[in-house]
Amino acid sequence: MTPTTTPAPQPPTPSQTVGPFYGYALPFTGGGDIAPPGHPDTLTLHGRVLDGAGQPVPDAIVEAWQPAPDGSRTGAPGSLRRDPVTGAVIGRDTVTFTGFGRVPTDADGHYTLRTLPPGGVAYISLAVFARGLLHHLHTRAYLHDAGPLGDDALLAGLSPVRRATLITTSDGPRVHRFDIRLQGGDEHEETVFLDFG
Amino acid sequence: MTVPGSMTTPLTQATISTEITGSREHYARHLADGGSARTHPDRAYPPYRSSLLRHPKQPLVAVRDPEMVELSGPAFGVTDITDLDHDLTRQHQGEPLGERITVTGRVLDRDGRPVRGQLVEIWQANASGRYAHQRDQHPAPLDPNFTGVGRCLTDDQGGYRFVTVKPGAYPWRNHDNAWRPAHIHFSLFGTAFTQRLVTQMYFPGDPLFPYDPILQSVTDDRARERLVAAYDHERSVPEWSLGYHWDIVLDGPAATWTEEGH
Ligand SMILES: [Fe+2]
């Protein structure tokens, strides 16, 4: 039994890369399907993870976290819901909105999430992990149709070119495109990544 | 400088080791000049060649908004876990080969408070140093009785516990004769998305430590030591398993209001 002690500040554990072999451990069935199936408000958020040469990153993982449509930020269990008999991941219960998604990129560096609009904010928070990335990166996908983005403090503090990397582009009705560029190059602007201190 | 992956000039351990030493000296000067200690690896760490095109060149943008969504985070519960998930030796018909071990510890936030009821995920190579992953081509045997994936939820003290076998070292292609020290991959959640952590746990006394650019990417000596578990004889079980202990401290701010919400 661990003795209960008075909490005192602790030095953090360092990050290490997710490496190349998480593929049979972290992804789970329905990981990108945050929205209950058939929900009329479902939006698609998709794009590619690209490296500094503009090449796709086929061994990345994108995680999404967001408030429920009613603005609740408590989330809910059940993203990796299991069959207690076989142990298999059977996916979300089709009713609960967990607010959490996780998808690996495919061979072309592409990811797809299906979710509901976040309540109270204009963005979906993303974390990116990849082989070669020693410490994951946080960014935000601001939905271009979520209303006026002008009074968002983060966006307001960025140059137009940098700001544009955080805002989705329309790829059809209710389809948002959001590419994540881990490193800038001659042809493309690096995505803005965030430090929460 | 040697070209990575060049057919004509193999990238040697000596070259990588020289770069590792250079990075460490650079960090020592940073400290000597009054710089603050750095826990996490620099994302631009040339000895780990795969980092070269996969790190941002622009500084991260600081966000200090007390209303930000990232001060909350995903929740997990009993539906996400089964009773056998923490025991990697009981996921198949037979027993896996290798040295049976337990890995236990606590997950804390940086104020030292336990992180309760949160998801801990691990994955690892088998005792021979082979992952049950299609792209792992290391010619070491697969073990039909070992997949190498585990999950659990932390208890009320932030505690976690896994039963597994000690993973083997394995070769990789960063440079000629590159070997990873034995390690277990860990994925952790706090109460806030800002506290998210993916890392690797190492075993004490591994002779491969100084040669490995991934471990050495943590240039602060004390921070690097925090990635190494302790062998704990008290936690070894007679005639059964060897005990390792490893506490994990999540970085990043967490809102105090989540305490009340949970
Ligand atoms: Fe590994």
Side-chain angles (χ1 to χ4, degrees), chain A residues 38-42 116 174:
Chain A
H39 196 291
D41 296 339
T42 299
L116 299 178
R174 309 197 67 76

Side-chain angles (χ1 to χ4, degrees), chain B residues 49-167:
Chain B
R49 287 294 190 262
S50 302
S51 76
L52 292 175
L53 288 171
R54 294 185 172 191
H55 71 270
K57 291 181 168 172
Q58 309 231 24
L60 305 191
V61 175
V63 184
R64 300 288 185 271
D65 172 9
E67 299 297 317
M68 64 187 175
V69 163
E70 291 87 355
L71 288 177
S72 58
F76 301 92
V78 290
T79 53
D80 296 305
I81 294 291
T82 67
D83 290 344
L84 283 182
D85 287 358
H86 75 284
D87 189 341
L88 287 70
T89 69
R90 290 170 63 198
Q91 296 173 352
H92 298 274
Q93 294 239 306
E95 295 259 352
L97 295 172
E99 205 177 289
R100 188 183 298 107
I101 63 172
T102 57
V103 181
T104 54
R106 295 172 79 204
V107 183
L108 306 170
D109 69 14
R110 61 189 186 187
D111 291 326
R113 298 176 300 188
V115 174
R116 302 185 175 102
Q118 270 299 0
L119 182 67
V120 181
E121 298 165 281
I122 66 169
W123 68 104
Q124 63 167 90
N126 69 22
S128 304
R130 178 90 183 258
Y131 284 90
H133 187 292
Q134 189 183 313
R135 284 215 296 274
D136 185 357
Q137 296 300 315
H138 175 34
L142 283 166
D143 184 341
N145 292 316
F146 191 73
T147 304
V149 176
R151 295 188 193 95
C152 73
L153 296 176
T154 54
D155 65 21
D156 277 353
Q157 284 82 46
Y160 72 87
R161 179 171 184 272
F162 290 104
V163 183
T164 182
V165 296
K166 190 176 177 189

Side-chain angles (χ1 to χ4, degrees), chain B residues 188-203:
Chain B
L188 302 127
F189 290 85
T191 54
F193 205 41
T194 57
Q195 296 173 297
R196 189 81 178 83
L197 177 67
V198 167
T199 187
Q200 302 179 25
M201 185 205 92
Y202 298 85
F203 291 85

Side-chain angles (χ1 to χ4, degrees), chain A residues 19-21, chain B residues 123-125 131 170 180 183 185 200:
Chain A
F21 297 132
Chain B
W123 68 104
Q124 63 167 90
Y131 284 90
Y170 61 85
R180 294 296 330 280
H183 59 274
H185 295 267
Q200 302 179 25

Side-chain angles (χ1 to χ4, degrees), chain A residues 10 12-14 16 52 59 63 73 80 82 102 123 125 131-132 135-136 140 183 190 193 195 197, chain B residues 43 48 50 52-55 57-58 61 63-64 67 70 79-80 85 121 196 199 202 226 249 253:
Chain A
Q10 301 289 322
T13 304
Q16 293 270 270
D59 39 19
E63 286 186 351
R73 298 183 182 186
L80 298 82
R82 310 289 293 284
R102 174 191 281 168
Y123 60 89
S125 188
R131 182 180 66 82
H135 188 184
H136 69 276
R140 289 175 178 175
Q183 186 179 90
E190 182 176 295
F193 296 105
D195 166 28
Chain B
R43 292 181 181 87
Y48 179 29
S50 302
L52 292 175
L53 288 171
R54 294 185 172 191
H55 71 270
K57 291 181 168 172
Q58 309 231 24
V61 175
V63 184
R64 300 288 185 271
E67 299 297 317
E70 291 87 355
T79 53
D80 296 305
D85 287 358
E121 298 165 281
R196 189 81 178 83
T199 187
Y202 298 85
R226 295 199 291 275
V249 178

